[in-house]
Amino acid sequence: MTKLYNVAVVGATGAVGEQIILQLEQSDLPIATIKFLSSPRSAGSTLSFKGKPVIVEEATPESFTAIDIAIFSAGGSISAELAPEAVKRGAIVIDNTSHYRMAEDVPLVVPEVNEDALRQHHGIIANPNCSTIQMVAALEPIRQQYGLKRVIVSTYQAVSGAGNLAIDELYTQTQAVLNNEPVEATILPSAGDKKHYQIAFNAIPQIDVFGEDDYTYEEHKMINETKKNHGRCKP
Amino acid sequence: MTKLYNVAVVGATGAVGEQIILQLEQSDLPIATIKFLSSPRSAGSTLSFKGKPVIVEEATPESFTAIDIAIFSAGGSISAELAPEAVKRGAIVIDNTSHYRMAEDVPLVVPEVNEDALRQHHGIIANPNCSTIQMVAALEPIRQQYGLKRVIVSTYQAVSGAGNLAIDELYTQTQAVLNNEPVEATILPSAGDKKHYQIAFNAIPQIDVFGEDDYTYEEHKMINETKKNHGRCKP
């Protein structure tokens, strides 16, 4: 008999959460029960899974009782607080945030590249940021065949990476430009930054906030997470 | 007494022509008379120069009689046909199209980089495409100080480079996306290509058409025009 899994999605109402739910609906993962978790603000709303309504619940430590797999995508601070609680209750955590990526005892895994690293987990499995995943998936076959000495990278990133509020800002600004109305920028390029710039009909050379060394966190992520990939993609 | 110049702008009604006129209005060039020239289709329309109306005339060989400086930005085929006629009538042609850029007897000039090459002209002076100009202006001081071995370039180019019809297409498509209506692509990424793609809320890794070697003409331009820069920026 196939084992069936109790699955929880943390950050179910976010832009990435929506896509995780879509992928779970289309996947062959044998799911017994599904639980959608969120912040208190979004709790109580109703989403659907395979045609059936699912009420979104507030994520608390107790939410993870009897959960086998918990997929986290609700921001680093939520993962920091609740992923250990989920592990404590027996769940395997797949964390999509940046919080545990560089932690020594957490494997940072891209299945096509270093799935061997999965065996070394202690409850939490992290995945790199999206740009790194795409890049190492393309680079790994080249590395295997020829080796890699240096990689020069330019990324072209979508507003959606900054979440639903950023997508809304893009649409609102765009309509304002088309209407010849003034444009307001309050979120992009990064909600964590003090400066905001028009993104409609624009391209901004900044993802995430700038660190003290004048590199953005996103640039650091690509460098560090690429090097951290365990197993086959060791630098 | 300062010499005053009779100036003609060929392609005055285009997206680049508009900007050339704006620059001429703001420049210190001592202008005696100004002439706006265009295709028969746009001839007869009225533009303004320093607050005075100027009727756009059809560009013909005779248009260049008594012209001192003719600035061409109406497409390569117009430059091919009419630039020699302007030179024959005593004008100096500044050609913004790609037509004469690689011609051996035509200097390809970026003033901040190789203005010495201006002395070698035979009536026609070309300037590189926009990406090359910006790049060599930034690279030349580095080259002088340290030398250059290799340059790796990513460009981020605006729809406006493909002209007014392309700008219109971007706006029309954008409004269609905001309205949840179907999007029609008939011009971009290049009017010269058979395939067209949605540009609204998109980024297309193609400028100009692809050559037989799978490089686009724009990529070839950046490589060849950078190397052709005479004088101080010799490769």
Side-chain angles (χ1 to χ4, degrees):
Chain A
M1 210 182 90
T2 314
K3 174 162 169 51
L4 298 174
Y5 296 98
N6 297 321
V7 176
V9 177
V10 186
T13 58
V16 177
E18 281 174 36
Q19 297 301 318
I20 291 172
I21 293 167
L22 211 64
Q23 293 300 316
L24 285 174
E25 284 183 317
Q26 295 168 1
S27 86
D28 295 330
L29 185 75
I31 296 174
T33 66
I34 190 106
K35 200 178 245 189
F36 292 160
L37 302 171
S38 78
S39 64
R41 191 171 46 81
S42 298
S45 60
T46 304
L47 297 174
S48 95
F49 188 75
K50 294 188 177 174
K52 287 177 193 158
V54 179
I55 295 172
V56 179
E57 302 168 39
E58 182 186 342
T60 66
E62 290 68 37
S63 307
F64 300 98
T65 307
I67 291 294
D68 299 302
I69 301 172
I71 305 175
F72 277 70
S73 191
S77 59
I78 304 295
S79 290
E81 185 192 332
L82 292 178
E85 300 290 344
V87 172
K88 209 184 288 175
R89 286 165 178 79
I92 290 176
V93 168
I94 298 170
D95 186 24
N96 187 46
T97 77
S98 64
H99 188 76
Y100 292 102
R101 286 179 191 155
M102 300 310 292
E104 265 189 38
D105 58 341
V106 172
L108 187 62
V109 177
V110 180
E112 294 82 355
V113 172
N114 65 335
E115 75 274 13
D116 294 349
L118 283 171
R119 296 203 190 98
Q120 303 150 19
H121 80 84
H122 304 285
I124 301 177
I125 298 161
N127 59 253
N129 82 86
C130 50
S131 316
T132 304
I133 294 175
Q134 298 172 51
M135 183 181 68
V136 299
L139 289 180
E140 175 59 10
I142 299 172
R143 191 198 65 83
Q144 284 183 29
Q145 197 81 32
Y146 305 105
L148 286 176
K149 231 166 77 185
R150 196 159 59 122
V151 181
I152 292 159
V153 185
S154 306
T155 67
Y156 307 76
Q157 304 210 12
V159 159
S160 55
N164 278 330
L165 289 175
I167 298 174
D168 291 346
E169 178 158 292
L170 171 62
Y171 278 94
T172 307
Q173 286 185 358
T174 302
Q175 191 60 67
V177 171
L178 291 181
N179 295 352
N180 264 319
E181 288 161 4
V183 166
E184 220 180 318
T186 58
I187 296 172
L188 286 160
S190 166
D193 209 340
K194 283 172 200 162
K195 288 182 190 166
H196 303 291
Y197 303 100
Q198 175 178 334
I199 189 69
F201 298 101
N202 202 2
I204 298 169
Q206 178 186 345
I207 322 262
D208 213 330
V209 296
F210 279 97
E212 283 178 13
D213 58 359
D214 288 340
Y215 284 85
T216 63
Y217 289 171
E218 181 83 359
E219 289 169 303
H220 277 298
K221 283 182 215 165
M222 287 206 73
I223 295 165
N224 297 333
E225 295 176 13
T226 299
K227 289 182 180 168
K228 201 209 167 190
N229 273 287
H230 300 270
R232 279 196 278 143
C233 199
K234 274 207 168 121
Chain B
M1 209 184 86
T2 313
K3 174 162 169 49
L4 297 174
Y5 295 98
N6 297 320
V7 176
V9 177
V10 186
T13 58
V16 177
E18 281 174 38
Q19 296 302 317
I20 290 171
I21 293 167
L22 211 64
Q23 293 300 317
L24 285 174
E25 284 182 318
Q26 295 168 0
S27 86
D28 295 330
L29 186 74
I31 296 174
T33 67
I34 190 106
K35 201 178 243 188
F36 292 160
L37 301 171
S38 76
S39 65
R41 192 170 44 82
S42 299
S45 59
T46 305
L47 298 174
S48 96
F49 188 75
K50 295 187 177 176
K52 287 177 194 159
V54 179
I55 294 171
V56 179
E57 302 169 37
E58 182 185 342
T60 67
E62 290 69 37
S63 308
F64 301 97
T65 307
I67 292 294
D68 299 302
I69 300 171
I71 305 175
F72 277 71
S73 191
S77 60
I78 304 295
S79 290
E81 186 192 332
L82 292 178
E85 300 290 342
V87 172
K88 209 184 288 174
R89 286 165 179 79
I92 290 178
V93 168
I94 298 171
D95 187 25
N96 188 46
T97 77
S98 64
H99 188 78
Y100 292 102
R101 285 179 192 156
M102 299 311 292
E104 264 188 38
D105 58 343
V106 173
L108 187 61
V109 177
V110 180
E112 294 82 355
V113 173
N114 65 335
E115 75 275 15
D116 294 350
L118 283 170
R119 297 203 190 96
Q120 302 150 21
H121 80 83
H122 304 284
I124 301 177
I125 297 162
N127 60 255
N129 81 87
C130 50
S131 316
T132 304
I133 294 175
Q134 298 172 52
M135 184 180 67
V136 298
L139 289 179
E140 176 60 10
I142 300 172
R143 191 197 66 83
Q144 283 183 30
Q145 197 81 31
Y146 304 104
L148 286 175
K149 231 165 80 183
R150 196 158 58 120
V151 181
I152 293 159
V153 186
S154 305
T155 68
Y156 306 75
Q157 305 210 10
V159 159
S160 54
N164 278 330
L165 289 175
I167 298 174
D168 291 346
E169 177 158 291
L170 171 61
Y171 278 93
T172 308
Q173 286 185 358
T174 303
Q175 192 60 69
V177 171
L178 292 180
N179 296 351
N180 264 318
E181 287 162 5
V183 166
E184 219 179 319
T186 58
I187 295 172
L188 287 159
S190 167
D193 209 339
K194 283 172 200 163
K195 287 182 191 167
H196 303 292
Y197 304 100
Q198 176 178 334
I199 189 67
F201 299 101
N202 202 2
I204 298 170
Q206 178 187 344
I207 321 261
D208 214 330
V209 296
F210 279 98
E212 281 178 15
D213 58 359
D214 288 339
Y215 283 85
T216 63
Y217 288 171
E218 181 83 358
E219 288 169 304
H220 277 299
K221 282 182 216 164
M222 287 206 74
I223 295 166
N224 298 333
E225 295 175 15
T226 299
K227 289 181 180 168
K228 201 210 167 191
N229 274 287
H230 299 268
R232 280 196 277 144
C233 198
K234 273 207 167 121

